[in-house]
Structure formats: C-alpha cells, structure tokens
Amino acid sequence: MVEKTFIKVRELAVSRGGFVIFEGISFDAMPGEVILLRGPNGAGKSTCLAALYGALAPTHGLIDIHLSDENRSTRELIHVIGHVPGVKTTLTVRENLQFWADLYGSAANVENAIDAAGLHPIADSDASILSAGQTRRLALARLLVAERPIWILDEPTSALDKQGDAWVGNLIARHSQKGGIIIAATHLDIPNVPAEKIKTVLINGAPA
Amino acid sequence: MRAFWAVVKRDIKLATRIGGDAMTVLLFYVMVGAIMPFAIGPDKVLLAKLGPAIIWISALLSLLLALDRLFRTDHEDGSLIAMSQAPLPLEMIVTAKILAHWLTNALPLIAATPLLAILLNLDAGQTLLVIFTLLIGTPALVCFGAIGAAVTVTIKRGGLIAPILILPLSIPTLIFGVSALSTGAIETAASSALLFLAGFTLLALVFTPFATALALKMGAE
C-alpha cells in the first residue's frame, strides 16, 4: 500500500507577520522512516508539522508528497495527532473511537485499538473520567483506527508516563516496520527501529 | 454516507447528553415567549396579534444562543482538525453538523410551539401555520448561524460577535416568516411570502456548506 509513498521537503520556510519562524528545512521521508523534529520550545516544530499537513501555507520551499495510489488524496494518506486530543468527554472511550473509525471509513477493529491502547477496562466509561495520560492514549489510538500510512505527531508523549513512552515508541516502531512514514516532534528516542531508518531534523539548527 | 451519518449521530449524542445544550435552548425559547405577556400586558387581542412575531423572535434568539457551540468545542478540543482529515469533504461534514444542530435545537423548539401558542392566545389554525413557517424558516436561520459561527470560531470571545454577524442575515427570513402568517385580505401576499421563505431556505442550504467550510479552512491557517 505504501511502498511508493514518500515525502520530499526542500528549503521549507514559514514566516508570520514578517517574523521568520523557521527556514531552510529539507529532508526526505521514505517508507519505513521515522523523522524526528527536534528543537527548543518556540523553534517552530508544530508550525513545521502544520505546514506539512497543509493547515498552513509555507512562505517558501517545496513539500512534495508522492502518493502511491492516485485514487487517494493526500488527506486519505496522512493522519495528524496534535497537542489537543480531539476527545469528546461526554462520549465513552468506545464511542469516541467508533466515531473516528466510521468517519475515516476504515475497516479497522475498534476493539483491537482499545486493547492496544490499554483502555479495555474503561472502554465503556465516559472519557471525562480519563486521566491526561489516558486521554492521550485514546487520542493516539485514533492512529490505529484511521489506518493511514503517514503519521504526523506533535509531542505524542506529552502527559504520558514511562510505560506510555514505551508504548508510543513501539507503536511508531511497528508502523515503521509495516512501511509507514512517521514525522514526529518529540524528544523521545524510538526503540526497535534501526538507526538508519531514523532521521533527526533540527529546527533552527538548535539541538534539543 | 456512513461517515456523514456518523457525524450526525455523534452530534445528536453530544447535544442530548448531560452537559449538552438542547434542553437549555428549549427552556430559553419557552421563557422568552412566556415573559412577553408580562411586558405587553393582559390584552388578549393584542397578544394574539403579536403572538406569531413573538414566537419567531423567541426562536431566532434561542437559536443564536446555541450557535456559538456549533464549531467552537470541536475547534478547541482538536476534533475539527481530525475531522478535516476524513475522506468526507469538509462541506459534507459541515452539512451533517448543521443537520444535527437543527434536529437537536430547532426541532424541539418547533415541538414546544403549541405551549407558547397557548400562552400567547393563538388559535389552533394560527398555531399550525406558525409551526409550518418555523419548519420552513428555521433551517435558514441555522445555516446563516453556521456561517457566523465558523467565521468567529478562532476568536476567543467570538460568542458575542457571531450574533451581530448573523442577525442582519436573518432579517429576510424573519420578514418572510412573519409575513407568511398574515391572513385576511392579503392572503395572496402571505402565500408569496411563504414561497420566498422556502426559497431563502433552499438558497441557504445550497451556499452555507461551501461558505462555512471555507471560513473554517481559513480559520485553521
């Protein structure tokens, strides 16, 4: 499904109100690769991700998302998990995920996603009782029901404990093994992914 | 269509569960209508004459009350970004949200109209006519409201600005809605007003999804 999908970014720059947020970002993301965006707070990692998924027009540069399947649009290939979780607190965990599965038209099994996120014991509870970490797990479980080859993740491990970090690491590793592309703004080191599959992109050249 | 109905179903669930707005809007509608006789006085003839207009104004104000939340909660909790990544075009998602909003906010108002009609001394014929015009006219009010809500979704206190944007757009619907209730010598005028009202609603239904989706996309940038 994803063999021929790749992303090419060249000299990407975004300015807002005459202020250059970042510039000169170039990288290639091939199937199975994990691109880690690193940089200090305010360096423009989230802005860079927003430009990549098309929510923001870059001031300069090129983003070429090459699609493996011409019948699918870019938005059918990319899934984004941002800072805000997109979780409805008055719906149950299962209802939240079922909605996303229906909306994305995927055949993914909602129960498997709930199990994978470790939310099975509270699947029928309102999402309002979830802790911040559990809410983040529920948000990330959306990746499993959306079944998109390209993942764009903004601080996916925020609010998660060490176990949660490991879970996200494994989630990314498994997606990479299946040939998916992951672009993430995170300080997490991804285990179980060969080093040659991981590329680190420094935003504004400032190391984390 | 599975995705379209998923949005409708979810929004209905959200509106009708605890913390939803549907009940608040309904209570507001009945209360606005019910306090009018106190302001106007116990003149039954005058009340019956003003009744349809009072009901329309109450419906308009009640719908304005709920509109701010049409996109705001989805914008704030990140659902809107996630929804915009669905294969279903944003225009269709907006249409589904408008449909759910009408079903959970406008339809209960219409159902509660007989109660207001009794308070305002309307006879059965007039009551039925008011219900009929509300059925035809409220979709347009919700549509215009959706545009206003989408334009102001990124403004922190947009809830106060949206009604100012929406009210002028709602004037034609209000004029034709109330004119359609005229009886007697100007019955022909009333039926043309009804046709205009229906025309306005159809026009709103066609253009709103595009205008609203465009406003949401621009807001996301």
Side-chain angles (χ1 to χ4, degrees):
Chain A
M1 174 178 73
V2 292
E3 283 74 23
K4 287 180 195 151
T5 301
F6 63 83
I7 302 173
K8 196 197 270 181
V9 176
R10 290 287 175 274
E11 293 299 321
L12 191 69
V14 172
S15 308
R16 277 288 171 269
F19 176 73
V20 179
I21 299 176
F22 64 83
E23 57 187 352
I25 301 297
S26 302
F27 63 85
D28 289 330
M30 305 306 286
E33 285 188 338
V34 181
I35 311 294
L36 300 177
L37 300 186
R38 303 231 156 144
N41 289 344
K45 300 187 291 291
S46 301
T47 311
C48 181
L49 293 179
L52 288 175
Y53 64 79
L56 200 92
T59 332
H60 178 77
L62 168 102
I63 303 169
D64 179 19
I65 299 178
H66 186 87
L67 308 180
S68 58
D69 179 351
E70 289 184 356
N71 294 322
R72 296 175 83 188
S73 63
T74 315
R75 56 201 227 151
E76 285 176 78
L77 292 177
I78 297 182
H79 198 73
V80 185
I81 303 284
H83 283 290
V84 273
V87 165
K88 287 291 175 198
T89 51
T90 48
L91 298 182
T92 67
V93 168
R94 184 175 279 116
E95 283 171 335
N96 267 293
L97 280 177
Q98 187 62 55
F99 167 69
W100 294 116
D102 290 342
L103 186 72
Y104 295 127
S106 71
N109 190 324
V110 171
E111 296 306 316
N112 289 347
I114 292 173
D115 282 341
L119 296 170
H120 193 69
I122 43 170
D124 289 312
S125 306
D126 277 0
S128 58
I129 66 150
L130 302 188
S131 69
Q134 287 170 323
T135 306
R136 171 87 355 209
R137 277 171 178 261
L138 176 54
L140 288 163
R142 216 168 67 212
L143 291 167
L144 301 172
V145 297
E147 292 187 311
R148 300 291 192 255
I150 302 169
W151 289 359
I152 293 186
L153 313 175
D154 198 354
E155 299 290 357
T157 54
S158 65
L160 289 180
D161 55 12
K162 273 193 175 164
Q163 277 182 323
D165 284 358
W167 175 67
V168 174
N170 284 324
L171 207 63
I172 291 176
R174 271 203 301 276
H175 191 60
S176 152
Q177 281 154 16
K178 281 194 254 170
I181 296 174
I182 301 103
I183 303 176
T186 177
H187 298 280
L188 186 71
D189 291 316
I190 309 298
N192 306 332
V193 178
E196 70 273 12
K197 289 280 188 191
I198 297 183
K199 287 179 184 167
T200 303
V201 176
L202 299 180
I203 304 263
N204 273 3
Chain B
M1 282 318 270
R2 178 181 159 206
F4 180 86
W5 292 113
V7 178
V8 175
K9 253 168 50 188
R10 181 194 79 141
D11 275 23
I12 291 177
K13 264 188 211 164
L14 288 173
T16 49
R17 287 210 176 153
I18 296 168
D21 291 327
M23 203 62 199
T24 321
V25 171
L26 182 62
L27 281 174
F28 183 81
Y29 172 67
V30 175
M31 284 164 90
V32 170
I35 60 167
M36 286 297 176
F38 294 112
I40 293 166
D43 183 340
K44 279 188 182 173
V45 183
L46 186 63
L47 272 181
K49 201 171 172 196
L50 294 179
I54 293 173
I55 290 177
W56 259 88
I57 293 277
S58 308
L60 176 61
L61 293 179
S62 313
L63 290 175
L64 281 181
L65 193 69
L67 277 166
D68 185 49
R69 285 173 67 102
L70 184 51
F71 300 113
R72 186 167 298 277
T73 49
D74 281 343
H75 172 75
E76 285 174 352
D77 69 16
S79 302
L80 209 54
I81 293 180
M83 281 201 260
S84 64
Q85 297 163 40
L88 192 68
L90 192 56
E91 287 79 3
M92 288 298 283
I93 293 174
V94 163
T95 310
K97 286 186 72 66
I98 291 172
L99 174 64
H101 191 83
W102 185 82
L103 288 172
T104 52
N105 289 286
L107 204 57
L109 302 192
I110 297 169
T113 299
L115 179 66
L116 268 194
I118 293 171
L119 291 171
L120 296 167
N121 196 31
L122 261 60
D123 63 34
Q126 264 184 316
T127 308
L128 276 178
L129 205 55
V130 174
I131 291 175
F132 186 57
T133 55
L134 283 175
L135 273 173
I136 295 177
T138 46
L141 295 181
V142 174
C143 283
F144 294 136
I147 299 175
V151 169
T152 55
V153 76
T154 50
I155 305 172
K156 279 247 154 62
R157 293 181 68 84
L160 297 171
I161 299 168
I164 308 227
L165 282 176
I166 300 162
L167 272 174
L169 287 172
S170 311
I171 291 172
T173 303
L174 191 67
I175 292 174
F176 291 120
V178 177
S179 319
L181 297 162
S182 315
T183 46
I186 42 170
E187 243 172 62
T188 347
S191 62
S192 6
L194 197 63
L195 288 176
F196 264 107
L197 184 67
F200 247 88
T201 296
L202 291 175
L203 204 67
L205 288 174
V206 170
F207 287 108
T208 301
F210 298 101
T212 310
L214 186 68
L216 289 175
K217 279 177 198 161
M218 291 178 78
E221 275 203 15

